Amino acid sequence: SQTNKKKDRHFYFPQIMSLFRSDRMGYYSIVMPRESSWEILNELGTLDSLQFVDLNSHETAFNRPYSHYVKRCEDMEGKIAAVELEMKKFNKYIERCDDPKLFMKNLKEFLDTRNKAEHTYFEEAENDLDQRVDALNEQIKTYDTLIEKYNHLVEYKQVLTKTRSYIGESGFKAQNVAEGLGGDEAPIDYVASKDIKFHYLAGVIDKAESVRFRRILFRVTRGMTWTSLIDIERPEELSDDKKGDENTLMKTTTEEFKSKTVFLVVYQGGSHDMMKAKLNKLCDSFGASKYGIPEDPVQFNKKLSEIDNDIRQASNIVQVTRNQIENILDQFGTPRGRTTYSYIEELRLFTLKEKVIYHNLNQLKLQNTIYHGYAWCPAEQANKVKDTLNTLKQVKSHIAGVEFTEADYKSQKLTPPTHLRLNDFSRPFQEIVNTYGVPRYREANPGLFTIATFPFLFGVMFGDIGHGALLAIFGAYLCLANDSIAKDKTSLMNSLLPARYLLLLQGIFACYCGFIYNDMSSVPLNLFGTCYPGKNPERSSLDCVYPFGVDPVWYGMENELAFMNSLKMKLAIILGVIHMTFGILLKGVNAIHFKSCIDFVFEFIPMITFMSLTFGYMVVLVFLKWSLPWN
Amino acid sequence: MEFTTFGVDDGYVEAMARGFRSSFLTEDIYTNLRNAKDITEFKLVLEDTDYFPYISNEPPNIPVSLLRAKLKRKLADEFEYLQAQAVGDLAEFLRLVSCKYMIDNVVNVIEGIKNKIEPDILLANIDPLGYFPEIKNMKIVDADDYGTLYSTVLIDTPVGPYFMKFLEDVIGEGNQNISMHEIQALFKDLKPETIRTSLKKMWLEDFFAFCEKNLSDVSQDFMLDLLNFEADFKTIQIIYNSIGNKDFASAANRSATRKRLCPALGYLYPDCEKELNKCSNIEELREAVKGISNYHELLKEAPDPSKREEFGPQTKSLDDMMYEEELKKYSLAFEEQAQYGVFYAYLKLKEQEIRNIVWLAEMNTRKLPKNNAGWKKYLVPFRF
């Protein structure tokens, strides 16, 4: 029991000084049978205590045992991302899950009701997702085809209505065309002869291509045609009174909306076969669709009403298909059972979890039917891991033969990873320190001291009561309203939330230093009665000293800058030298902790000597100079 | 001096080009590609590289033609981005570079229409680097009617001026008053290859003139050297192809064709022109190019064109030699800063990489044994 006591004391100190030094890590070897490996890793994953060492790092990604599982997970993730994209297109809301522990709890409850081995749920989920995604894709394909058909009909109607003005109410006859062309638009000298027959070609082309179309048409036909291009308005361009009756082109799910133009080409008869063939070829090469216009006015109106009917039918079918798609997407959007987040979110988190499990399984070494692995674990949590494994063995009796024993890492010359337990307050400061370099294992962690020194140095540089107070108020607002801001996903403050304590401390220190510099938005405050009152400042009494901060009389004086600059520079130097000396002292503490005599004698002692004999001496001189009277 | 002002207009584009450099495949990846067991694993190795977004959506057993199309699409997208960001001289430079690919596309389409290939297949096989909207409309004209083709479709395109000059050359070669029929006959005889060589020659001369006039000294150093080298090799190629070619049995015919097709620039021009024109076999060719740098050593390895039937997949053709020589020059382009050569070099090196990948994919699908010499037949950029 004597040795036990010593061991307990060993583990007692790290818990108190947890941010000063990284946690003590243990190196453990895990041995487990192959069949239960998934279950065991599933349990261990919830503890958040282990980091496996990659024993298969020499293998390529394809040769690892579970690589095709990982690929399947990635495929699922791809499909889930595609579904989320479609949901966004159709404006379906996805409820996200912020708490992983809640997710794991709900998942466990659900899997318990299944009465089957837990790791088989992966296949079930995969198949279910595949089925739904296939159905969704089919529906979307049909939807797109239907929209194309609908657009076709709408274009036809547009062609008919827009060319009507050129055709005239009494039909498409050569005479009328010529008369319609009359006036300043007459491109040809029309000879009223009944032998000349006009032919036409009408259709729809992309607006972007219409200019080129006209040009190439002119060249191919040597100018023997007359073209008219009329734009089809986009839905937003329609004037309000027309919005109800005009049918507009719909957008498919895949393509961008392209503006279209109606074209009408009129050419003379005679060698019309060749001309027609040429024009047809040209339209094909541009991807323009052609539509026939009935010549007879009665036929024309009949066609128009036919198309109206067709449009109505088509739009109904389109709506029906759209409803079906929305149904499928709704199924993805609604939560399952008693969970509060969408099914698709659950699938996403589940896939992520599976991927992590298989990724870790890939790092173990297989010998016959036994998996062998090494893991790092913080020493305090080792018992927790052992207990979890024991309870797992009791609850699920088919899992046998799991061993979790301590191994020796010093002989293999491995360095343990640095594990620091951080919370929302200490995390931003540790992040700042980490950008300079992550502390070594069990080294003194500057992050602890940064909590105070970083905002303080910021305050020294900022030094303004007014703006410092504003910053402090803003920081306080972020801290107090943290929950409500986090809930609102679209808020702009979301990105500032992790740094809220940092901002608050910076604001407080800035305000404090503002009082010391006596600078409120560059104007001093006279809080305690200045020692040099009156227009021609005379010292009120011989031993009057402004109690806190710089005397407000300095403001506006001739030698204000000379004094203030000198003061602030010297303050900065003093603070800096103290800070740097403290750093060197930490180095000495490290040398003592790691019991490195060389580091202590040959690094720490010389550093502290040089520092104090040069900069330390300078600081002493500064204080001396300040304290001695000048006259 | 260049360093101080280059960044004003062209700094961003150059930075992008240098960024693209890091996406080149390294020797390790080529080794992995060689060792892939089948096309699925080949694709998986490629997915690890920068090509991932372009091929990830394709089925695992991707056909090589589709792979090639996707790789070219990526290069075209990157080049389009550079073109969009360029201004002034650089924009003109990049436009001229893309003209070359347009010429290739035009000739391919002409050839395809002549051979009655489906227009959809034709359009799918055009090089995306040289895409211009009018290319879709080329099929409306009959294959041999180059005059109409020019006056209706090509006249607005960047290829237009070159085509016009080409037509003038072809028609103006005979007497002044030749009839329409004779013009048609002339066109019928024209092989697409001849059109391609002539158009490329004109493009090269045009590009050279632009580089000489508008580029800075630093850029000119690199670009002119490169263009001269390219012109030289075109000349050598033309002479080489005409040796032992039964179409050019008579010496007079040979020298006339050569004179017409060889570009009027390069280190070999104009000094070696006479000797080159007189060459009738490979030895004379080697002698003729002796004066210029290391052309003699290069041609020493070249197989004898009169023994063309003995060529196999492992013989190093003249093309391969040219690629290798050029590769060294292009790789060096990235060492120099503030010059336009990086863009040209980037394009060419990326094309070489695509050629490598497609070659290895072909070797993979044909399941040739690993000791076949063809497996080593790829050139890795930046190895020098």
Side-chain angles (χ1 to χ4, degrees), chain A residues 61-63 71 209 212 215-216 219-220 222 278 281-287, chain B residues 41 44-45 47-48 133-134 136-137 139-142 148 151-153 155-156:
Chain A
F62 314 115
N63 282 339
K71 188 94 193 351
E209 306 264 301
R212 278 198 322 119
R215 214 185 292 157
I216 294 195
R219 292 207 189 106
V220 167
R222 289 175 232 277
K278 256 198 256 190
K281 241 181 168 181
L282 187 64
C283 288
D284 280 337
S285 74
F286 270 95
Chain B
E41 215 179 292
L44 279 175
V45 175
E47 277 184 8
D48 247 347
E134 284 82 359
K136 297 194 305 267
N137 309 121
K139 60 183 183 180
I140 56 176
V141 186
D142 293 328
T148 335
S151 58
T152 54
V153 181
I155 189 169
D156 280 329

Side-chain angles (χ1 to χ4, degrees), chain B residues 236 239-240 276 279 281-289 299:
Chain B
I236 295 180
I239 312 271
Y240 183 84
L276 281 172
C279 291
N281 63 29
I282 184 103
E283 273 311 314
E284 285 180 23
L285 180 59
R286 289 191 186 129
E287 277 301 312
V289 300
L299 283 181

Side-chain angles (χ1 to χ4, degrees), chain B residues 5-16:
Chain B
T5 52
F6 187 77
V8 177
D9 283 330
D10 306 321
Y12 177 67
V13 196
E14 191 193 353
M16 287 305 294

Side-chain angles (χ1 to χ4, degrees), chain A residues 104-115:
Chain A
M104 291 303 292
K105 186 167 83 83
N106 285 334
L107 185 68
K108 204 169 176 59
E109 277 176 17
F110 170 66
L111 290 178
D112 281 340
T113 63
R114 267 177 78 238
N115 286 331

Side-chain angles (χ1 to χ4, degrees), chain B residues 229-329:
Chain B
F229 183 78
E230 219 173 294
D232 282 339
F233 250 93
K234 271 208 192 344
T235 316
I236 295 180
Q237 188 91 302
I238 291 169
I239 312 271
Y240 183 84
N241 285 340
S242 59
I243 294 178
N245 195 331
K246 42 186 172 35
D247 288 343
F248 299 110
S250 81
N253 197 351
R254 224 172 22 215
S255 63
T257 327
R258 283 174 183 174
K259 223 181 168 106
R260 202 178 63 207
L261 294 179
C262 292
L265 39 104
Y267 296 120
L268 294 171
Y269 177 91
D271 306 319
C272 308
E273 200 187 350
K274 241 195 267 184
E275 285 130 48
L276 281 172
N277 273 342
K278 281 194 301 191
C279 291
S280 53
N281 63 29
I282 184 103
E283 273 311 314
E284 285 180 23
L285 180 59
R286 289 191 186 129
E287 277 301 312
V289 300
K290 216 173 189 167
I292 313 295
S293 58
N294 55 344
Y295 291 174
H296 187 77
E297 282 90 55
L298 286 174
L299 283 181
K300 232 196 288 211
E301 303 281 318
D304 196 344
S306 48
K307 302 202 192 72
R308 228 175 270 267
E309 306 81 47
E310 295 174 15
F311 287 4
Q314 45 263 65
T315 38
K316 224 175 177 191
S317 73
L318 197 62
D319 267 337
D320 293 326
M321 262 166 246
M322 180 169 105
Y323 287 149
E324 215 176 306
E325 221 10 66
E326 282 188 329
L327 202 74
K328 292 193 199 125
K329 287 188 197 272

